[in-house]
Amino acid sequence: MRHNKKFNHLGRQKQHRASMLANMTISLIFHKRINTTLAKAKALRMYAEPLINRAKEDTMANRRLVFSYLQNKEAVKILFQEIAEKIGNRPGGYTRILKTGNRLGDNAKTCFIELVDYNEAMLKDSKDAKTKTRRSRRKAAPAAENPVAEAAAQEPELPAAE
């Protein structure tokens, strides 16, 4: 029985799954965005986000812990210098999954997984959204308080018929 076994095993043994997730995390750190299946992306998010969270505090203990998972010095260096600088004030949610449809060969659901602070297109959209102000209907309503009186005032008076 599989009581309380909630993570996806992805059809692999523990060692294979751990090395695959470590390699995918390294690729995510280097490229900032990778294309994979939806199941792998969800498993990668659970694997990578705690490591990214460790990078916020640059201590030797955190570097060694992250290196024990990734086994790649360059990835650890990029994670603690470049990525930690961008995510320093973010409380969580360092990755984003964007679904892209189904794969042609086996109809598997595919997606992009990316680091949130590195998608330039979405950052531009969020800046534009912040500059817009909220418009309310109440602000426009006081201009025409009595529309019947205004309509009567605008109509020209006709001369009385004698």
Side-chain angles (χ1 to χ4, degrees), residues 15-100:
Q15 293 85 6
H16 186 190
R17 186 172 55 249
S19 64
M20 182 192 67
L21 291 174
N23 287 333
M24 290 175 70
T25 304
I26 291 167
S27 295
L28 183 65
I29 289 170
F30 282 143
H31 303 292
K32 312 303 188 253
R33 181 179 197 183
I34 58 174
N35 189 10
T36 184
T37 63
L38 186 62
K40 286 181 187 175
K42 288 180 178 180
L44 178 62
R45 181 172 46 186
M46 289 175 45
Y47 186 87
E49 288 207 2
L51 298 179
I52 296 171
N53 196 25
R54 287 271 180 188
K56 283 183 173 182
E57 186 181 350
D58 190 6
T59 63
M60 185 60 70
N62 284 345
R63 281 182 179 262
R64 286 179 175 167
L65 193 138
V66 170
F67 180 76
S68 72
Y69 282 94
L70 298 183
Q71 297 294 316
N72 189 317
K73 289 181 184 179
E74 291 81 21
V76 172
K77 188 185 298 184
I78 291 171
L79 179 64
F80 276 86
Q81 290 175 354
E82 182 183 333
I83 295 174
E85 184 178 309
K86 280 205 171 190
I87 58 128
N89 57 356
R90 182 177 289 275
Y94 310 113
T95 58
R96 176 186 298 126
I97 295 176
L98 300 170
K99 297 176 183 173
T100 57

Side-chain angles (χ1 to χ4, degrees), residues 121-151:
M122 288 200 172
L123 289 176
K124 288 178 186 175
D125 292 341
S126 66
K127 287 179 185 176
D128 292 341
K130 288 181 185 176
T131 58
K132 293 181 182 178
T133 58
R134 183 176 160 206
R135 297 181 69 188
S136 174
R137 292 181 185 180
R138 291 185 181 209
K139 290 181 182 178
E145 290 180 12
N146 194 352
V148 176
E150 286 183 10

